[in-house]
Amino acid sequence: METMEDDLKPPPRKKGGLRTGYTTGSCAAAAAKAATVALHTGAIPETVTIALPIGGTATFTTVRRTTGDGWAQCAIIKDGGDDPDATHGAYIVARVEWADMPGITLTGGAGVGVVTLPGLGLEVGGPAINPVPRQMVTNEVAEVAGDLATRGVRVTISVPGGEEIARKTLNARLGIIGGISILGTWGIVKPYSTASWRASVVQAVQVAAANGQRRVALCTGSRSEQYAMRLYDDLPEIAFVEMGIFTGNALATSVAQGMTWAAVCGMVGKFAKLAQGHMQTHVAGNQVDTGFLAAVAAESGADDALQAAVRGANTARHVTELVEPAGIAPAFYHRLAELTRERCVTHTHGALAVEATLFDFDGAVLARAKAPS
């Protein structure tokens, strides 16, 4: 049996609108869960509900529902809300079939990119399905699959037209070839135009100031904000601002609102740009300068061979994979944090005491450049 509900397209995006959407990871998890249900019952449900990493649940309508002997397949149409996302309207397809190997095996099919370079935290040669979506798919399939100790299932995620969609992204530059990435840390997509995103950052600093705060933690993303909340546990929640790519705006607003101290918190990719003085860190606006990072590595004790390797690195994360086994990581991270602190102080003309804290991907502090006493 097969259905082709191609008319069930998501609403068109509204420029500047605020409608929330869902990540490709959420869509993949929903499609996989629905297909697994069909593997047991012979009929794929018309709707399916999954748990979101951010909390709560979401319900999706399944399309392109197909079943066969020992397998089932369906799709979810990606709804990115009002976010300007190249994958909006794409079909995220999951095929689930019985397998001889116990447990759940997750693979990428047509339209899902293949990782060809290190530095992404994913296996080279494997599908570009990020860790959180992997866990989401596994959790949802396990919930309905039953006992997989003797007979497992194989889940294949594909995206028709994914290779063409990927040409609108920076995947190829990152070494992801042949399709899109299956992404999503929180499961939802918050819609932000550049202007509204910047305005929300400015407003967050203003709200902190209006509530009596004179110290603020400016974080480059949701994970670094979580890590900062653990580190700076003397600050109230209102003092934490997820500034994203708008470091310069966040710093300038902090000065204008009478803040006296700011902790700039982030991971190596953003710090690699901030350390050069790039106060707007969007990936499309300025790439990680591995030549600059090679110079920082040289200051930190890297030999000529390591400097050359850093210059040829694919991403800032790849750089960390080079400096850590070489034994210069502590000095490298400290110098990166100190340069970030110096550039932020310069940007505010010394009007703000700045501390720069560099986290790893699991929340450990790699370096902390404190403001002078």
Side-chain angles (χ1 to χ4, degrees), residues 121-149:
L122 296 172
E123 180 184 1
V124 172
I129 304 175
N130 278 19
V132 172
R134 285 173 182 268
Q135 190 62 53
M136 292 175 70
V137 170
T138 299
N139 289 348
E140 298 299 336
V141 170
E143 180 182 320
V144 297
D147 182 15
L148 296 174

Side-chain angles (χ1 to χ4, degrees), residues 80-96:
D82 287 328
D83 188 66
D85 183 351
T87 62
H88 183 75
Y91 287 86
I92 311 300
V93 181
R95 178 185 173 100
V96 180

Side-chain angles (χ1 to χ4, degrees), residues 24 28 86-87 90-94 107-115 126-129 156-169 171-172 176-183:
T24 48
T87 62
Y91 287 86
I92 311 300
V93 181
T107 64
V112 172
V114 175
V115 178
I129 304 175
T156 304
I157 306 299
S158 60
V159 182
E163 186 169 5
E164 182 178 349
I165 296 171
R167 295 191 185 101
K168 303 174 184 177
T169 73
N171 273 13
I176 298 172
I177 304 301
I180 68 167
S181 303
I182 304 300
L183 302 170

